[in-house]
Amino acid sequence: MTREARVRVDLMNVSIDGYAAGGTITVDEPIGGAGELFARFDGRVIAGVDRADAPITADRVFTSVWGQGVGAEIMGRGKFGPQQGPWDDDAWRGWWGDEPPFRTPVIVLSHHPHPPIEFANGTVFHFRDASPADALAEAKELARGGDVRIGGGPSTVRDFLRDDLVDFVHLAIQPIVLGGGVSLWEGLSGVHDRFDIESMATPNGVVHQFWNRR
């Protein structure tokens, strides 16, 4: 039996006070000074718990779901790089070097045109000046029946939640207070009413929340 593809937000790290990034992205600060959000993140297992050494913790199991069943991703320009305005000819290919972890088509939302960037591992960045709904329609075609992940940053996730385009959200609420930055929830009063929400705390203080559309 074939299930319907979903629009997902996977493993969104957010502080107790609701911030998911710092204020200013630079080459040295890709999270805008909010790197503490990822202090407990084990990037080795985002493609599968089989890549983790012992012990296999609850946080590692939840992290390993990140790549499963995703056929395409949508991300904001800030997740791809620190540049603003028209693109410079600086050979920037993203934060991830020659092997981005996505391995799927990725739509990068940008008001400025840029040719696609392809990698040998299947990652292809397509740059689009598009509304959330239009970007999602293209991503669903590129996904070929797989899920579409809304990859961030928080402003992009917020836009898709605002337009009621998200089926599932996995939040990793980190036990830190940032006191400022980019809020995940600004302007989204009552958004929780659209979802059934389950929570699980792990021993290191992270609370994983799973939001499924009602």
Side-chain angles (χ1 to χ4, degrees):
M1 182 176 180
T2 303
R3 69 167 179 82
E4 185 176 351
R6 286 185 286 254
V7 180
R8 293 165 34 188
V9 177
D10 284 355
L11 199 64
M12 187 77 183
N13 288 281
V14 60
S15 65
I16 290 172
D17 50 344
Y19 296 102
T24 303
I25 298 170
T26 68
V27 172
D28 295 327
E29 293 283 359
I31 314 298
E36 192 178 357
L37 283 170
F38 290 84
R40 297 164 181 81
F41 174 63
D42 188 348
R44 292 172 296 172
V45 296
I46 61 174
V49 75
D50 58 301
R51 297 191 179 189
D53 53 8
I56 304 299
T57 64
D59 283 304
R60 283 179 161 185
V61 171
F62 292 145
T63 299
S64 72
V65 176
W66 180 85
Q68 296 181 22
V70 172
E73 171 149 340
I74 300 171
M75 67 173 62
R77 179 168 175 173
K79 182 173 178 179
F80 179 78
Q83 303 88 345
Q84 298 182 5
W87 293 93
D88 296 325
D89 186 16
D90 61 359
W92 179 265
R93 291 167 62 84
W95 304 103
W96 307 278
D98 291 331
E99 294 189 7
F102 311 104
R103 302 178 183 273
T104 67
V106 179
I107 293 178
V108 180
L109 298 174
S110 171
H111 295 303
H112 301 276
H114 191 294
I117 302 175
E118 300 187 22
F119 293 84
N121 71 354
T123 303
V124 184
F125 292 107
H126 302 276
F127 299 82
R128 297 288 186 267
D129 184 2
S131 67
D134 288 344
L136 181 57
E138 181 177 1
K140 286 181 175 180
E141 292 185 4
L142 293 171
R144 298 179 180 273
D147 289 349
V148 175
R149 179 172 52 229
I150 311 302
S155 297
T156 298
V157 172
R158 196 169 61 225
D159 288 345
F160 280 80
L161 285 169
R162 178 200 64 207
D163 291 353
D164 197 17
L165 298 173
V166 177
D167 300 311
F168 170 80
V169 182
H170 172 195
L171 298 179
I173 302 173
Q174 303 294 325
I176 62 173
V177 175
L178 289 178
V182 182
S183 170
L184 179 61
W185 305 120
E186 183 178 356
L188 293 181
S189 176
V191 67
H192 56 279
D193 290 334
R194 304 180 203 152
F195 296 87
D196 292 319
I197 302 173
E198 297 181 358
S199 298
M200 178 175 291
T202 59
N204 67 6
V206 177
V207 176
H208 293 269
Q209 285 191 346
F210 306 95
W211 297 40
N212 284 280
R213 179 193 288 275
R214 290 177 174 167

